[in-house]
Amino acid sequence: MEAYNISRGKYFYTVGLSYLKADAEIRGRFSLDDEKKKALLEQAKEEGIDGIIATSTCNRTEIYGFAQHPFQLIKLICDNTQGSVDEFQKVGYVYKNNDAIAHIFRVGSGLDSQILGDFEIISQLKSSFILSKEIGVANPFLERLTNSVIQASKRIKNETELSSGATSVSFASVQYILKNVAEVSSKNILLFGTGKIGRNTCENLVKHTKNDHITLINRTRDKAEKIAGKFNLLVKDYCDLQEEIRKTDVLVVATGAQNPTISKALIHTTKPLLILDLSIPKNVSDDVLELPNVTSVHLDQLSEMTNETLERRKAYIPQAETIIEEVKSEFIMWLETRKFAPTIKALKKKLKTMKDAEIDFHRKKYADFNDEQAEALSNRIIQKITTHFANHLKENSNTSDESLELIQKVFQLEETAKA
């Protein structure tokens, strides 16, 4: 559809990979931290891409943007991660135009989340758009689209129970601990990493385990202290990690590191130790499983847990999809309006040129000619004419291409409308 062709020969695509086909190891190779995101957007800018958003979470890496061919966007991902084009072709996906728009709505509304109803992705989309805007690769299309997805997400939260109860991987981890660790309130719990998932996990641990001796460790101590202060918890230095692991019963790893931070060499305890790895890429080395006292669980395994809460949420999917369709339709209508805006602008310019010529003619012909009144009157007529044309195009979107062509021919706007 020409409506999407708003960037001079480019079309709107979503390219990415997710938990649906890519396991944690592959998602890790394609993950983008903040620095990689910036590098990707800067590269896109250098290559002349004027509209692009890049997101990367524990269960997906995606680009939403304009390109002549989706391979331009796939290459951007591969150039800025450890993933290869061959790997992407095996597990990745590409959506174009309407399908790409529908996909971002489903992602932002929690319908495509690893845990149904998990809305944490919407804050990622917000921050990703802000970064694109700062770097100068966020066009009006992406701004309107992002705001529409945020609107749909808010409505689904407020008007349905799709997100009833806790909805995230961090909550699933706490559910797992409660189910598998006896007398959890008396156990030593160590949280390593205080990014967003770490913070949410910490809050859920305090709320649901009734445990008042949770220890936090982060590479940057002041970040851990801010969170610890909120919940009145203990903070230890990064250099104390090995010693704290020796004491703990449950270790939750939620760092943003690109390589494993916990390995067999760090574990010097013979008592049972449960390790939950909530990181992408994986931050717990597989060699910990060589220790007979260690149980290691990755977030992909946690996300497979089904319970009554998740089953209950499925009933609200149709209601959520209806809301998405309403908001998406409003966005498409705006997009259609945007398609004919250049022609309306060109028409207004042409009418103004005709008006100026007529006023000049009558100014010379009549000695008492009133310029001010003539300007006011003719400007109102021009506004009414262009408004009529705009309303006609809005109300007859199925034939708008033919109407645009007719307007351009009648008023000889071909060159002006393309300018």
Side-chain angles (χ1 to χ4, degrees):
M1 290 174 63
E2 285 297 316
Y4 302 96
N5 192 356
I6 66 171
S7 285
R8 299 188 183 277
K10 298 177 183 178
Y11 294 88
F12 183 60
Y13 292 100
T14 294
V15 303
L17 51 94
S18 75
Y19 68 95
L20 289 170
K21 286 184 72 176
D23 62 24
E25 185 178 346
I26 293 175
R27 298 204 307 278
R29 287 204 286 276
F30 283 94
S31 68
L32 294 162
D33 59 20
D34 290 343
E35 289 306 310
K36 287 180 180 178
K37 270 190 204 174
K38 288 178 185 176
L40 185 153
L41 296 177
E42 293 287 1
Q43 182 182 336
K45 189 176 183 179
E46 288 175 12
E47 293 177 4
I49 295 175
D50 65 350
I52 185 170
I53 298 174
T55 62
S56 191
T57 68
C58 59
N59 56 35
R60 73 181 64 247
T61 294
E62 292 184 336
I63 286 182
Y64 315 103
F66 286 89
Q68 292 170 324
H69 192 279
F71 182 74
Q72 293 171 273
L73 305 180
I74 295 169
K75 184 176 179 294
L76 283 173
I77 294 178
C78 296
D79 284 352
N80 291 280
T81 66
Q82 298 173 346
S84 69
V85 174
D86 286 342
E87 284 179 312
F88 183 91
Q89 288 176 333
K90 290 174 184 174
V91 298
Y93 43 79
V94 174
Y95 299 109
K96 181 180 179 182
N97 292 344
N98 246 340
D99 292 337
I101 290 172
H103 180 75
I104 191 174
F105 269 98
R106 287 186 68 83
V107 168
S109 301
L111 292 181
D112 200 58
S113 296
Q114 200 165 14
I115 294 181
L116 178 64
D118 183 349
F119 281 93
E120 288 187 5
I121 183 67
I122 199 65
S123 62
Q124 292 275 356
L125 283 172
K126 286 181 189 176
S127 60
S128 293
F129 173 77
I130 290 168
L131 181 60
S132 291
K133 199 163 188 177
E134 289 172 356
I135 291 175
V137 287
N139 60 20
F141 174 100
L142 288 177
E143 183 160 15
R144 184 74 175 226
L145 177 60
T146 303
N147 287 335
S148 296
V149 173
I150 291 168
Q151 180 191 351
S153 174
K154 285 180 179 177
R155 281 192 56 190
I156 290 169
K157 282 183 186 177
N158 294 334
E159 298 174 28
T160 79
E161 292 185 40
L162 186 71
S163 60
S164 59
T167 58
S168 64
V169 169
S170 58
F171 178 70
S173 67
V174 175
Q175 273 193 317
Y176 186 89
I177 291 170
L178 291 170
K179 191 173 181 180
N180 293 277
V181 179
E183 300 176 352
V184 68
S185 60
S186 64
K187 301 293 185 182
N188 292 322
I189 299 176
L190 173 61
L191 175 62
F192 178 37
T194 54
K196 181 162 186 182
I197 287 180
R199 293 195 303 273
N200 291 345
T201 301
C202 185
E203 187 170 354
N204 280 316
L205 282 169
V206 172
K207 181 178 178 181
H208 297 285
T209 66
K210 305 293 187 289
N211 190 310
D212 60 359
H213 42 278
I214 299 170
T215 302
L216 305 185
I217 293 181
N218 195 61
R219 287 180 185 273
T220 309
R221 183 183 172 104
D222 62 344
K223 288 184 180 178
E225 286 177 339
K226 285 178 185 176
I227 296 168
K230 182 180 178 182
F231 299 110
N232 196 29
L233 305 176
L234 183 64
V235 173
K236 290 287 186 176
D237 289 323
Y238 177 61
C239 61
D240 296 322
L241 180 60
Q242 185 170 313
E243 179 58 30
E244 290 303 315
I245 291 174
R246 189 195 302 269
K247 300 176 188 174
T248 199
D249 300 292
V250 179
L251 169 61
V252 180
V253 184
T255 74
Q258 293 297 298
N259 296 298
T261 53
I262 302 296
S263 65
K264 177 183 175 182
L266 277 175
I267 301 171
H268 298 277
T269 178
T270 55
K271 68 177 182 177
L273 173 63
L274 171 63
I275 305 176
L276 300 184
D277 185 0
L278 309 185
S279 313
I280 290 289
K282 284 184 176 181
N283 275 197
V284 178
S285 175
D286 290 339
D287 67 4
V288 301
L289 294 173
E290 295 172 14
L291 300 170
N293 59 310
V294 172
T295 301
S296 180
V297 180
H298 186 257
L299 64 84
D300 279 3
Q301 295 163 274
L302 292 171
S303 300
E304 290 168 4
M305 294 169 54
T306 56
N307 55 36
E308 292 178 11
T309 302
L310 292 177
E311 287 300 315
R312 191 167 62 246
R313 286 181 200 154
K314 288 180 182 178
Y316 298 99
I317 291 176
Q319 194 179 349
E321 289 176 333
T322 299
I323 291 170
I324 288 173
E325 199 55 42
E326 287 175 11
V327 180
K328 183 157 68 78
S329 295
E330 290 172 6
F331 174 77
I332 298 297
M333 188 177 295
W334 170 84
L335 197 55
E336 287 288 342
T337 302
R338 194 176 161 76
K339 179 176 71 171
F340 57 74
T343 298
I344 295 298
K345 185 178 178 182
L347 174 61
K348 188 175 284 189
K349 185 177 180 181
K350 185 65 175 273
L351 293 174
K352 185 179 182 299
T353 300
M354 295 167 67
K355 174 206 75 172
D356 291 342
E358 284 299 310
I359 287 177
D360 188 55
F361 171 79
H362 285 88
R363 186 187 298 117
K364 294 173 182 175
K365 189 173 181 180
Y366 301 106
D368 59 345
F369 185 75
N370 189 316
D371 276 63
E372 189 176 334
Q373 288 180 346
E375 281 281 349
L377 178 63
S378 53
N379 283 339
R380 280 183 61 84
I381 292 171
I382 288 172
Q383 185 60 43
K384 287 180 180 294
I385 290 170
T386 53
T387 298
H388 273 290
F389 277 116
N391 287 338
H392 168 77
L393 291 167
K394 285 180 188 175
E395 292 164 7
N396 299 274
S397 59
N398 291 335
T399 58
S400 61
D401 286 341
E402 292 87 340
S403 297
L404 285 172
E405 188 177 349
L406 180 62
I407 293 167
Q408 289 164 5
K409 282 183 178 178
V410 169
F411 291 94
Q412 298 179 328
L413 302 177
E414 286 89 352
E415 296 304 316
T416 315
K418 292 174 185 176

